[in-house]
Amino acid sequence: MSRQCPRCGHLAEDLDHFCASCGAELAPGPEAAFQTGVLGVRVASEGDSAPLPTVDPTSVGGLGRGHAVLVVLRGPQEGARFDLDPALGTVVLGRAPDCDLFLDDVTVSRRHAELHAVDGTWELADSGSLNGSYVNRRRIDRQLLSGGDEVQIGKYRFVFLEAAGESS
């Protein structure tokens, strides 16, 4: 069964939470059901036709305190890993080629969001983007991230993994 995106009119499946065409959040379909996965990331239950892949939490092994990794779960660069070093201070995410984390898709604003290193962890701050930034499927303006959080920027869905705090 399909339903129509209120923003662009694209047909979406009942279990979709975001429009595949424009990235707009869709009202929940009648049969949407989710469970929490191993990393605390909400993953689709049996009724969803496209469950999110699992990510090996050891991918942050050996990184120092404040270091983290964003792994693309869904989107044009699925499986890509982006290392976040707190020495950077701020990481700009967007569609502009000069962004620190270049996300080449029309559902991503030119300067969509920023990640800020804050006291050993990271904070995601939306930069007034058209489609918004989401953490665990909730639209946010700013939010501190925790290991296992699902981050959505346009069509891109990431899992945020923190280092266990080893010394670098």
Side-chain angles (χ1 to χ4, degrees):
M1 185 170 198
S2 295
R3 57 198 166 114
Q4 200 167 24
C5 172
R7 182 179 291 161
C8 71
H10 180 81
L11 290 180
E13 296 298 318
D14 280 334
L15 295 173
D16 289 344
H17 292 279
F18 299 93
C19 177
S21 179
C22 73
E25 185 171 20
L26 302 171
E31 298 176 10
F34 287 84
Q35 61 191 9
T36 301
V38 174
L39 297 173
V41 177
R42 289 168 41 135
V43 296
S45 66
E46 263 183 44
D48 192 341
S49 60
L52 295 175
T54 58
V55 176
D56 180 6
T58 62
S59 65
V60 293
L63 296 178
R65 182 178 186 276
H67 288 256
V69 174
L70 277 178
V71 179
V72 181
L73 298 175
R74 190 157 297 146
Q77 297 170 324
E78 192 170 310
R81 169 187 157 138
F82 300 99
D83 294 338
L84 303 174
D85 182 343
L88 298 171
T90 298
V91 176
V92 179
L93 295 83
R95 189 170 37 100
D98 62 337
C99 286
D100 302 310
L101 207 160
F102 175 58
L103 303 173
D104 191 16
D105 190 84
V106 295
T107 62
V108 177
S109 295
R110 291 182 191 279
R111 299 209 178 284
H112 197 102
E114 293 181 347
L115 283 163
H116 302 278
V118 178
D119 296 327
T121 190
W122 289 85
E123 178 183 55
L124 178 67
D126 187 77
S127 300
S129 65
L130 179 63
N131 290 325
S133 298
Y134 295 80
V135 175
N136 299 325
R137 302 187 187 223
R138 289 194 164 147
R139 191 170 183 151
I140 58 97
D141 289 322
R142 306 184 87 74
Q143 183 168 329
L144 285 176
L145 298 175
S146 297
D149 279 348
E150 179 186 308
V151 174
Q152 180 164 353
I153 304 291
K155 286 185 184 178
Y156 289 84
R157 283 169 55 185
F158 304 89
V159 64
F160 173 81
L161 299 173
E162 301 179 288
E166 297 94 359
S167 58
S168 42

